[in-house]
Amino acid sequence: MTAATEQTSDPAERVGDPTRAFELVEPPPLASATVIRDEFLRLDAARQQTGWAQARVVVLDATGRTPVELPAPPAVRRPGELGDAVEGRARLVTRPATELGDTPPPDAVLLGEADGVLYWALRVEPAELAGDARWLSLFTVGGELAPLDAALLTTAIALLTWHDRARFCARDGSPTRPTKAGWARECAAENHEEFPRTDPAIICLVHDGADQVLLARQTTWPAGRMSVLAGFVEAGESLEACVAREIAEEVGVDVRDVGYLGSQAWPFPRSLMVGFQAVADPAQPIRLDGDEIAEARWLHRGDLLEALKRGDWGVPADDGQLLLPGRMSIARTMIESWVAAG
């Protein structure tokens, strides 16, 4: 039995030992399903062509928006973001591949296979496609999509964004062309092969081993909006070393008992968020970095529980009440899981 099935759905009803390490109560929204990534399929042009007749295509505009059908009029959390009142799931509107041609277009990328159906992704202009669906971003709708739809859209954004930024060879500067159904690019001069970039970043929930957690606010965020700490892994650095370095740099706190929680893709533009927990001493003075972090403080479990009941990030109240990350982020799952362990 998984941790997700052992826990109840309401954090207020879950009881555990607050002194022990916790686990995620469910997978992060962008990591709850995958498509079959068949490397041999990427090399099999005949199989791709055969499957094109029944294939579906995830279409994205130049800004990364895609058509989505909403199950009900949403209540607004913040301008453009879906609300808690949505019943059911938002649905990604994919297109029959044959509507876009008899063969896969040269700039289409093969996302993978699910339930015997091949899924591709392609950039288009919204005006080229008729329909009533709303064109929304992953930021807007990611937490509301069903697992397969979230996996398809996340992969499509990551892969197409990489192609947009990898049109010239990093070694000799010559133009590159897509190969392997969009999973590589090859340069015109020397046939150098390049593959999609993924930049690892750590994200860590720091707690005191009991009932307090350390949250921080970035300088660009409004008052009240807070989250766990995060940062990019540097060259030659382990994930655990990055956890200790980033937290020390940003808030001046030393951590111990670093433990892995889970991960999720974060294609903005090409990150992988690797989640950890760590323990620190609340008595140690907080020293802000003076650059990225505007505020950091220890908060009690009850403070987070109240904030979770208020929902996702929204327009901050005048009193600067605590607002936590949206459901699409692994940060939200980490916070909910820590609260549930208490």
Side-chain angles (χ1 to χ4, degrees):
M1 181 178 294
T2 65
T5 58
E6 291 175 331
Q7 303 287 356
T8 63
S9 59
D10 184 355
E13 298 176 0
R14 304 177 187 139
V15 178
D17 179 359
T19 64
R20 64 174 173 82
F22 67 98
E23 298 178 349
L24 297 185
V25 296
E26 61 185 3
L30 300 187
S32 55
T34 60
V35 293
I36 299 173
R37 296 169 178 246
D38 186 346
E39 184 177 4
F40 295 104
L41 174 58
R42 299 171 188 173
L43 304 175
D44 192 339
R47 186 177 165 197
Q48 295 166 22
Q49 181 60 51
T50 301
W52 183 252
Q54 302 300 323
R56 307 292 299 187
V57 180
V58 178
V59 292
L60 277 72
D61 69 7
T63 67
R65 297 181 307 161
T66 192
V68 176
E69 287 186 354
L70 305 179
V76 175
R77 293 194 197 108
R78 61 179 177 180
E81 187 174 22
L82 299 183
D84 291 329
V86 174
E87 297 180 0
R89 293 279 194 172
R91 188 177 71 86
L92 195 66
V93 179
T94 60
R95 298 287 174 171
T98 51
E99 286 186 1
L100 303 173
D102 296 329
T103 61
D107 51 351
V109 297
L110 179 61
L111 304 179
E113 182 178 358
D115 299 324
V117 176
L118 300 187
Y119 286 90
W120 295 74
L122 183 69
R123 287 220 191 271
V124 299
E125 292 294 333
E128 296 177 5
L129 301 175
D132 298 327
R134 293 174 56 187
W135 286 73
L136 300 172
S137 70
L138 182 62
F139 265 124
T140 300
V141 78
E144 314 295 341
L145 291 171
L148 177 59
D149 283 359
L152 290 170
L153 183 54
T154 302
T155 305
I157 292 172
L159 202 50
L160 290 175
T161 301
W162 173 71
H163 280 284
D164 292 343
R165 301 184 179 197
R167 297 189 182 277
F168 297 92
C169 180
R171 295 175 63 179
D172 59 38
S174 66
T176 61
R177 57 182 176 269
T179 62
K180 297 182 178 178
W183 284 92
R185 292 186 74 91
E186 191 176 76
C187 77
E190 298 291 342
N191 295 325
H192 296 142
E193 201 170 38
E194 297 185 9
F195 297 91
R197 283 275 307 277
T198 299
D199 297 333
I202 62 89
I203 182 166
C204 184
L205 186 145
V206 179
H207 60 92
D208 66 348
D211 288 316
Q212 294 186 88
V213 67
L214 179 62
L215 298 186
R217 178 172 66 86
Q218 292 186 14
T219 53
T220 57
W221 294 349
R225 182 179 295 180
M226 305 191 80
S227 186
V228 297
L229 294 157
F232 282 101
V233 182
E234 293 186 345
E237 185 176 45
S238 71
L239 296 172
E240 293 81 0
C242 182
V243 169
R245 176 184 57 78
E246 283 287 347
I247 294 170
E249 287 180 355
E250 294 186 347
V251 295
V253 171
D254 301 319
V255 297
R256 65 181 190 277
D257 300 332
V258 176
Y260 174 74
L261 290 173
S263 66
Q264 77 168 71
W266 196 250
F268 307 109
R270 55 177 181 239
S271 296
L272 173 69
M273 302 300 294
V274 186
F276 290 89
Q277 62 176 307
V279 178
D281 182 359
Q284 183 178 3
I286 292 174
R287 298 188 308 275
L288 303 182
D289 67 355
D291 182 21
E292 297 182 24
I293 305 300
E295 175 188 7
R297 53 193 168 104
W298 289 94
L299 294 161
H300 284 270
R301 197 179 303 268
D303 298 325
L304 270 63
L305 184 56
E306 289 300 315
L308 289 172
K309 291 178 179 178
R310 285 195 291 270
D312 293 357
W313 280 349
V315 178
D318 293 338
D319 61 359
Q321 67 183 3
L322 178 62
L323 297 166
L324 298 175
R327 283 180 287 178
M328 185 182 72
S329 171
I330 188 175
R332 178 78 174 199
T333 306
M334 293 163 67
I335 291 171
E336 289 181 337
S337 300
W338 181 80
V339 170

